[in-house]
Amino acid sequence: MYRSKAHGRWLFMGIAAAALAIATPAAADWALDFPASATELGNKVRGLHHLALIICTIIGIIVFGVLGYSLVKFRKSQGAQAAKFSHSTKAEIIWTVIPVLILVGLAIPTARVLIEMEDTQAADLRIKVTGYQWKWRYEYLDHGISFFSNIDDASNAASILGAGHELHEHYLRDVDKPMVVPVGKKVKLQLTSNDVIHAWWVPEFYVKRDAVPGTINETWFKAEQTGTFRGQCAELCGRGHGFMPIVVEVLPQDEYDAWVAGLTAPAEPEALEEPEAAMSQTAPAAAGGASSR
Amino acid sequence: MSDTTHEEHHDGPHASGMWRWLTTTNHKDIGTLYLVFSLIMFLVGGTMALIIRTELFQPGLQLVDPHFFNQMTTMHALVMIFGALMPAFVGLANWQIPLMVGAPDMALPRMNNWSFWILPPAFLLLLGTLFMPGGAPAGGWTLYPPLILQTGDAFPFVVFSLHMLGASSILGAINIIVTITNMRAPGMGFMKMPLFVWTWLITAYLLIGAMPVLAGAITMLLTDRYFDTSFFLAAGGGDPVMFQHIFWFFGHPEVYILILPAFGIISQVIPTFSRKPLFGYVSMVIATSAIAFLSYVVWAHHMFTVGMPAAGMLFFMITTMFIAVPTGVKIFNWLATMWRGSISFETPMLFAIAFVILFTIGGFSGLMLALVPADIEYHDTYFVVAHFHYVLVPGAIFGVIAGVYYWLPKWTGHMYNETLGKWHFWMSTIFVNILFFPQHFLGLASMPRRIPDYSVQFTEFNMISTVGAFGFGLSQLLFVWMLVKCVKGGEPASTKVWDEPEGLEWTVPSPAPYHTFETAPKV
């Protein structure tokens, strides 16, 4: 779809391609808003975002309307004579008090969502998430499953400077081994880091939390629908920051149980081994690619 | 006004050529030095921004290595904040504060020289890190450990140059406070000072409060790296998050250091071109002070994803939301100043009007970012990038540009070319929106900031943004051309320059003589 070009002609290309992009909306994504939420809590967050956006838009229309009216009506070139007033206690009290009321009205529902968001109790499943430069490690504390999740080989190869490969649909948002969770279950994440600060983020879950070395941070999500959800590291963590995707597969409970059984069955010892060893056995190419960054 | 026989002995600089500029203690010379330095750094930082935008024109890596990309984002921010914006405001303060309070010069002229001349070596050092083994700092201008401790040989040089920049800022701030407090003309009480002087007085206190905190934080980084301390290293019992608290305790006041003087400039420009006194002078002063106070109690709103107790997040959310109140008061006061005025649209006024509109848009996204649950989704995305660029580019930078057009005839004695000014305004305003508005959408669609390469669904808006960036960058060449033309010549400016401007600076001839107000004016 997108090919890397020679460096010299990019300004011309810029204008041409922008014109092309505008002319051919069919090929474009053009997302203007938050993604649809896969969690109930995410819907509430999205609702807050829309509430704030609507309030700002209304205030904006009023403020810019008054400004526009002044600029048209009170022009010197139209013979406007300047008034002399420079003070009005009444007006100033009004435009101090009304914003306070609006803010209080906005703060109350926001606080409610925040308190719900911070309640990590009564989780059905606990996963420890550890950030590494530049990959993620997932440990299922209830099942003894542990594995690394690296960027997929195709993205890794295409992201080399000047590679000019075809970029696939999920370029930089695909991994060799995704996190797998059951649908409709409260999943508690316990985040930490092995080196620098990272941040685990899946936009459609409306969950983002820093993975800080020496600290365990907690957050949670409860996916309401099955499917594949994609995100990436959200805290600058060095050279490979743009190249540590996150993919979560949400499965029906029975398929999830089968996935767990497949990894914990005695016939497959690598799942119980040291995680580093497991990684090097299952995904040598991707691991090598990621750590060579 | 001033004693003319006395002036005859001191009508120009004491030295010529390079020596004049190195040894000058004259506030106008030093103001010019600051402003020229700031313009150069604006072009350097802008070039870095264009490298960033070029790489982001399309997905895939075409131009630079990711490590160099990270160096560019880090250096772009440091150069623009410490090299372009802060010196621009100090330059305007140097030129204008003595003229506006009726003082013959700054209170501490030799220190003034020193505080400017710290800057060029500090930036030589900072820009020099680009050529050191391991490259320039690449951990972001926020310098978060442990990542920033992975910087190569450049690390101590970065810390040292930031120390120098901090020292320069503190010296400048002390000078401004002493000048404003002690050297106002008889009759100019605090509540008669022009708003630009007021906002700078408050900014100077913010600088004195904030810069030493940064100095402390980066010194702890230095000892963590070289002297076996573990302030921020978990392995030694330290806490990387503590750095973020200390950094943002500096960083949030710093944000207001970058915008309050612009508020002051806009409060000078709008009354002049509305031919009406500023509405709500007292509430403007109170609002500025309230913003400055609040800026010290909101810092952790930069850190809502870092893991804080819910009560802490609520506190920082509510204090942050309350900043909207005094900021709103300012916007409403500017609107009320224009209401029933007699408005004309010279270039400074155009930039001031664009400031009011576009800064307000940046304020709206700021209010949205205060809401913790939504912020957790916005955090570290292009929505944040769009937000702070709206308040810093068509906010702070447009404020500086409005001030430059407004006072340039007083400085040079020539009117600038109004046609060029209008072209500069329209090009800048159109392109700055093409540049930054699509970034809101990128952020909402979940593109993280500080990434050199992105997933294909973000392509279109990135392309538009890059086109806007080049348009905006090229527009600034019109500004440089206008400046050169205006310094070289042009229609002579009158003493008042504009119709009926308020303030002492409009009582001295244009160009302002080398020495002014040697005898204090009566207010």
Side-chain angles (χ1 to χ4, degrees):
Chain A
M1 186 165 17
Y2 297 100
R3 244 173 216 291
S4 177
K5 307 261 168 62
H7 302 160
R9 294 173 293 142
W10 60 268
L11 178 58
F12 168 76
M13 260 167 47
I15 295 159
L20 191 75
I22 291 162
T24 56
D29 199 68
W30 299 112
L32 300 176
D33 196 9
F34 270 165
S37 171
T39 65
E40 207 182 300
L41 186 65
N43 273 323
K44 292 179 186 168
V45 177
R46 203 161 179 265
L48 277 179
H49 160 69
H50 288 150
L51 175 67
L53 191 60
I54 289 166
I55 289 174
C56 289
T57 307
I58 293 170
I59 298 172
I61 289 170
I62 295 169
V63 169
F64 301 146
V66 171
L67 178 64
Y69 180 83
S70 305
L71 296 183
V72 173
K73 183 84 178 172
F74 308 121
R75 303 170 82 100
K76 181 169 178 260
S77 59
Q78 301 295 311
Q81 295 291 315
K84 294 275 173 264
F85 70 88
S86 66
H87 185 70
S88 159
T89 310
K90 201 163 109 191
E92 288 172 73
I93 288 173
I94 290 172
W95 66 51
T96 308
V97 171
I98 291 179
V100 171
L101 296 178
I102 294 173
L103 292 176
V104 171
L106 191 56
I108 291 168
T110 309
R112 283 209 188 101
V113 178
L114 172 65
I115 287 163
E116 189 179 340
M117 200 173 218
E118 290 302 301
D119 179 10
T120 54
Q121 293 171 51
D124 301 305
L125 175 67
R126 292 178 303 144
I127 304 175
K128 184 180 169 202
V129 177
T130 311
Y132 288 74
Q133 284 177 316
W134 292 279
K135 56 188 174 250
W136 296 97
R137 176 179 169 189
Y138 301 126
E139 289 168 84
Y140 288 64
L141 300 174
D142 307 312
H143 304 304
I145 298 171
S146 168
F147 57 90
F148 279 84
S149 183
N150 290 281
I151 191 168
D152 68 304
D153 289 343
S155 294
N156 199 34
S159 69
I160 290 163
L161 179 58
H165 290 199
E166 293 271 338
L167 305 179
H168 62 85
E169 191 192 353
H170 300 302
Y171 175 61
L172 301 183
R173 289 224 163 168
D174 208 356
V175 296
D176 56 350
K177 291 170 120 187
M179 174 190 278
V180 178
V181 297
V183 70
K185 288 286 157 66
K186 185 167 181 176
V187 179
K188 175 152 93 175
L189 302 179
Q190 298 184 309
L191 301 112
T192 188
S193 166
N194 186 54
D195 36 51
V196 302
I197 302 172
H198 305 269
W200 196 89
W201 179 33
V202 175
E204 285 153 300
F205 293 169
Y206 290 73
V207 162
K208 182 188 288 143
R209 195 52 49 111
D210 289 1
V212 182
T215 306
I216 304 266
N217 269 333
E218 291 193 339
T219 189
W220 66 276
F221 64 88
K222 188 166 151 187
E224 303 291 342
Q225 63 202 70
T226 56
T228 306
F229 300 95
R230 296 168 194 282
Q232 62 191 101
C233 178
E235 177 67 47
L236 178 60
C237 57
R239 193 169 180 276
H241 167 53
F243 310 95
M244 52 185 292
I246 294 158
V247 179
V248 180
E249 293 274 7
V250 181
L251 298 180
Q253 186 67 46
D254 53 341
E255 287 179 37
Y256 172 76
D257 291 339
W259 177 80
V260 171
L263 284 177
T264 49
E268 292 187 52
E270 81 256 66
L272 294 172
E273 271 176 25
E274 261 301 286
E276 275 80 8
M279 174 200 73
S280 59
Q281 283 171 20
T282 51
S291 42
S292 68
R293 249 174 215 300
Chain B
M1 209 197 303
S2 43
D3 180 354
T4 44
T5 50
H6 187 68
E7 265 192 358
E8 276 163 19
H9 301 289
H10 299 278
D11 53 355
H14 288 276
S16 59
M18 196 56 208
W19 197 240
R20 165 189 172 183
W21 297 104
L22 270 171
T23 59
T24 185
T25 55
N26 179 288
H27 74 100
K28 300 184 183 79
D29 279 356
I30 294 172
T32 305
L33 285 172
Y34 265 111
L35 289 168
V36 170
F37 180 79
S38 153
L39 182 66
I40 294 167
M41 285 298 133
F42 179 53
L43 299 175
V44 170
T47 307
M48 292 172 176
L50 292 182
I51 293 170
I52 293 168
R53 283 307 331 161
T54 306
E55 179 53 60
L56 291 174
F57 179 70
Q58 56 177 346
L61 286 171
Q62 292 84 25
L63 185 71
V64 295
D65 177 88
H67 183 59
F68 186 74
F69 182 92
N70 291 344
Q71 294 176 39
M72 286 293 103
T73 55
T74 307
M75 295 292 277
H76 163 71
L78 291 172
V79 167
M80 285 301 199
I81 293 168
F82 293 102
L85 265 175
M86 291 170 71
F89 285 132
V90 182
L92 290 170
N94 258 292
W95 255 102
Q96 288 309 125
I97 286 176
L99 285 178
M100 293 170 99
V101 301
D105 205 307
M106 296 295 279
L108 307 160
R110 293 183 190 198
M111 194 171 88
N112 203 13
N113 170 293
W114 181 224
S115 65
F116 171 76
W117 281 107
I118 292 175
L119 285 182
F123 272 92
L124 276 180
L125 209 56
L126 187 64
L127 294 170
T129 60
L130 281 164
F131 306 100
M132 292 178 187
W141 83 280
T142 49
L143 309 171
Y144 284 2
L147 181 62
I148 197 67
L149 299 172
Q150 295 180 351
T151 307
D153 292 359
F155 185 72
F157 297 95
V158 176
V159 171
F160 188 53
S161 74
L162 286 175
H163 273 306
M164 289 165 81
L165 297 174
S168 161
S169 294
I170 292 168
L171 295 179
I174 291 171
N175 211 344
I176 285 165
I177 290 173
V178 178
T179 306
I180 295 174
T181 317
N182 295 315
M183 296 181 68
R184 282 167 291 127
M188 183 179 279
F190 273 104
M191 293 313 281
K192 281 188 179 169
M193 294 193 312
L195 239 288
F196 178 69
V197 178
W198 252 118
T199 53
W200 240 118
L201 180 64
I202 293 166
T203 303
Y205 275 104
L206 286 180
L207 277 167
I208 288 181
M211 297 309 291
V213 179
L214 174 69
I218 58 179
T219 305
M220 285 188 267
L221 284 179
L222 197 71
T223 62
D224 269 7
R225 167 123 169 201
Y226 293 107
F227 302 103
D228 284 338
T229 58
S230 295
F231 291 108
F232 310 126
L233 298 176
D239 182 4
V241 175
M242 184 172 79
F243 177 86
Q244 300 187 16
H245 283 289
I246 300 171
F247 179 86
W248 287 113
F249 190 79
F250 144 79
H252 205 81
E254 171 70 21
V255 171
Y256 291 98
I257 289 164
L258 297 175
I259 198 66
L260 292 185
F263 286 167
I265 294 165
I266 301 305
S267 303
Q268 302 297 133
V269 169
I270 287 181
T272 297
F273 297 98
S274 304
R275 292 163 184 80
K276 200 163 147 274
L278 180 71
F279 184 92
Y281 174 90
V282 177
S283 65
M284 281 298 209
V285 173
I286 295 171
T288 311
S289 312
I291 292 173
F293 170 75
L294 285 171
S295 77
Y296 278 111
V297 291
V298 297
W299 75 89
H301 70 211
H302 296 270
M303 305 161 53
F304 283 147
T305 65
V306 88
M308 250 187 288
M313 290 200 263
L314 272 178
F315 171 81
F316 286 110
M317 175 179 99
I318 288 164
T319 51
T320 304
M321 290 173 84
F322 267 91
I323 292 184
V325 177
T327 313
V329 166
K330 285 185 154 293
I331 305 274
F332 300 138
N333 282 347
W334 289 324
L335 291 185
T337 305
M338 285 187 261
W339 186 259
R340 293 178 56 205
S342 172
I343 303 171
S344 58
F345 299 93
E346 287 84 352
T347 307
M349 183 62 165
L350 289 174
F351 275 102
I353 293 167
F355 174 97
V356 172
I357 297 170
L358 300 175
F359 179 82
T360 303
I361 292 176
F364 286 147
S365 54
L367 176 64
M368 295 167 75
L369 283 159
L371 309 174
V372 182
D375 177 75
I376 286 174
E377 187 79 352
Y378 303 133
H379 182 80
D380 266 331
T381 69
Y382 262 81
F383 191 80
V384 178
V385 177
H387 158 70
F388 68 72
H389 280 99
Y390 259 86
V391 292
L392 288 177
V393 183
I397 290 179
F398 274 26
V400 171
I401 293 174
V404 168
Y405 277 104
Y406 184 54
W407 287 308
L408 194 59
K410 180 57 64 190
W411 302 338
T412 63
H414 308 127
M415 294 307 287
Y416 59 87
N417 183 323
E418 191 67 51
T419 312
L420 259 181
K422 289 216 160 75
W423 269 97
H424 175 220
F425 166 76
W426 285 108
M427 300 273 285
S428 297
T429 304
I430 291 167
F431 280 116
V432 85
N433 284 292
I434 296 176
L435 166 55
F436 293 120
F437 208 81
Q439 296 184 359
H440 290 111
F441 304 132
L442 285 172
L444 294 178
S446 81
M447 176 167 162
R449 61 191 285 211
R450 293 169 164 170
I451 53 171
D453 194 3
Y454 50 82
S455 197
V456 291
Q457 74 264 32
F458 305 127
T459 309
E460 289 77 16
F461 283 128
N462 269 301
M463 286 184 165
I464 294 172
S465 182
T466 299
V467 171
F470 276 87
F472 184 76
L474 295 174
S475 312
Q476 302 322 306
L477 299 180
L478 290 177
F479 184 50
V480 176
W481 185 23
M482 179 287 297
L483 284 171
V484 171
K485 274 185 72 153
C486 184
V487 170
K488 278 185 164 172
E491 196 190 316
S494 67
T495 296
K496 279 187 168 175
V497 182
W498 313 111
D499 268 1
E500 286 299 326
E502 282 274 329
L504 288 173
E505 75 264 44
W506 311 110
T507 63
V508 302
S510 303
Y514 198 64
H515 294 287
T516 39
F517 296 130
E518 288 180 279
T519 307
K522 286 267 185 298
V523 182

